[in-house]
Amino acid sequence: MYSDKVMDHFQNPRNVGEIEDASAVGEVGNPTCGDIIKLYLKINDSDETIEDISFKTFGCGAAVATSSMVTELVKGKKLDEALTVSRDTVAEALDGLPPAKMHCSNLATDALKNAIEKYKKTKE
Ligand code: FES
């Protein structure tokens, strides 16, 4: 049912935890299943690059795997590039997700957008 990549990221999630001096923290929940995620970003102010990223989730296995993959996909990227990462990008990078689990990948991408929006607001 799950690809080897999904199982790998579920069993060995990358970039788990908090960043104490994070530039921004995104937080979203899925009202349907009740799962939540917090995503921490450390951003280089001068060139708007994501220097570090981590997450904590109270979510299902697919939420763990997709969050882990999102952190790998956007680490080192500029904010505008990171915003182009969609749930489909994440699912593709994981060699697919079962259709019933596609919504789980919204958690991490929405938390990423939330954190970037918060960061941009502090710079206005
Ligand atoms: Fe809630 Fe997957 S079932 S995020």
Side-chain angles (χ1 to χ4, degrees):
M1 175 176 170
Y2 288 115
S3 72
D4 289 346
K5 274 197 191 164
V6 173
M7 290 311 290
D8 177 34
H9 279 266
F10 168 56
Q11 281 164 344
N12 310 293
R14 326 304 197 251
N15 305 306
V16 174
E18 289 180 31
I19 297 174
E20 262 179 32
D21 57 343
S23 315
V25 182
E27 189 169 4
V28 292
N30 181 321
T32 313
C33 63
D35 291 346
I36 51 173
I37 179 173
K38 262 188 164 183
L39 188 131
Y40 302 80
L41 289 181
K42 181 80 187 150
I43 296 163
N44 181 325
D45 287 320
S46 56
D47 66 359
E48 295 206 324
T49 299
I50 297 175
E51 286 186 333
D52 201 7
I53 179 167
S54 69
F55 76 96
K56 289 203 319 197
T57 186
F58 183 79
C60 70
V64 172
T66 52
S67 304
S68 168
M69 180 52 89
V70 166
T71 64
E72 291 223 305
L73 287 173
V74 304
K75 203 173 193 172
K77 290 224 161 84
K78 295 215 181 261
L79 296 184
D80 289 344
E81 248 183 298
L83 283 172
T84 64
V85 171
S86 69
R87 71 175 197 170
D88 294 328
T89 321
V90 180
E92 254 170 53
L94 285 167
D95 293 338
L97 275 175
K101 288 285 173 183
M102 275 304 285
H103 75 275
C104 310
S105 51
N106 285 344
L107 267 191
T109 48
D110 286 353
L112 175 66
K113 283 189 192 112
N114 181 250
I116 292 176
E117 274 165 20
K118 283 182 181 165
Y119 173 77
K120 288 196 166 175
K121 276 208 180 110
T122 65
K123 300 289 155 197
E124 278 171 6

